[in-house]
């Protein structure tokens, strides 16, 4: 299943992500793809709202994983700078911890990603426009309504 949503402001990106986040279940794994300033962190803020998290969500770049408590815990990961197998093991352990894992730069660990996941791509359009492409199999998207 594949859904493409056009948004025109950061607030609309947050609204789409919040709706998606409110349907996620423990163990959900999402990848986030998009160039710098596409809106990956903005999207994650919306996911956090949907998970009932009121903490400030910022970029995990210097932490590898940031953890937030909510209806379901959120593990926000940036795997761009992973260094070696022990770092990969460290990340993979989060997949079974009953939270929602959001992974930026997921292509770095592509062969370790479960097939059961949701992939989100954000493409920049003119100005504040963005195309948000959400894909996953029916099972993964069963609880999820991403329309705007
Ligand atoms: N529709 C939109 N969705 C998300 N961000 C947008 C949008 N329009 C403009 N922006 C701006 O683009 C930037 C996105 O930053 P950020 O979410 O940190 O991107 P990334 O994490 O992909 O580098 C922010 O400055 C935000 O205000
Ligand atoms: Mg970011």
């Amino acid at each position: 299943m594949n859904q493409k949503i056009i948004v025109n402001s950061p607030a609309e990106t947050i609204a789409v992500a919040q709706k998606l986040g409110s349907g996620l279940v423990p163990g959900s794994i999402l990848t986030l793809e998009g160039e710098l300033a596409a809106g990956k962190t903005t999207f994650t803020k919306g996911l956090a709202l949907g998970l009932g998290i009121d903490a400030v969500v910022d970029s995990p770049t210097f932490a590898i994983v940031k953890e937030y408590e909510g209806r379901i815990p959120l593990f926000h990961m940036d795997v761009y700078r992973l260094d070696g197998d022990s770092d990969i093991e460290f990340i993979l352990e989060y997949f079974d911890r009953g939270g929602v894992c959001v992974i930026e730069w997921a292509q770095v660990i592509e062969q370790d990603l479960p097939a059961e996941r949701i992939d989100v791509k954000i493409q920049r359009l003119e100005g504040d426009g963005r195309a948000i492409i959400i894909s996953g199999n029916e099972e993964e998207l069963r609880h999820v309504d991403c329309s705007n």
Side-chain angles (χ1 to χ4, degrees), residues 6-87:
I6 304 294
V7 294
N8 295 297
S9 67
E12 280 184 38
T13 296
I14 287 173
V16 168
Q18 180 170 358
K19 208 165 183 186
L20 176 66
S22 64
L24 294 176
V25 294
S28 299
I29 294 175
L30 268 96
T31 69
L32 267 185
E33 189 183 323
E35 62 180 288
L36 193 70
K40 302 181 294 297
T41 298
T42 303
F43 192 89
T44 307
K45 288 179 204 288
L47 285 175
L49 287 174
L51 292 168
I53 293 163
D54 47 24
V56 175
V57 173
D58 56 10
S59 174
T61 302
F62 299 104
I64 305 183
V65 182
K66 284 197 175 176
E67 306 188 18
Y68 303 90
E69 285 304 322
R71 172 174 67 81
I72 306 169
L74 169 65
F75 305 127
H76 185 200
M77 314 170 170
D78 183 331
V79 298
Y80 184 69
R81 287 182 181 76
L82 280 196
D83 187 18
D85 289 347
S86 66
D87 269 11

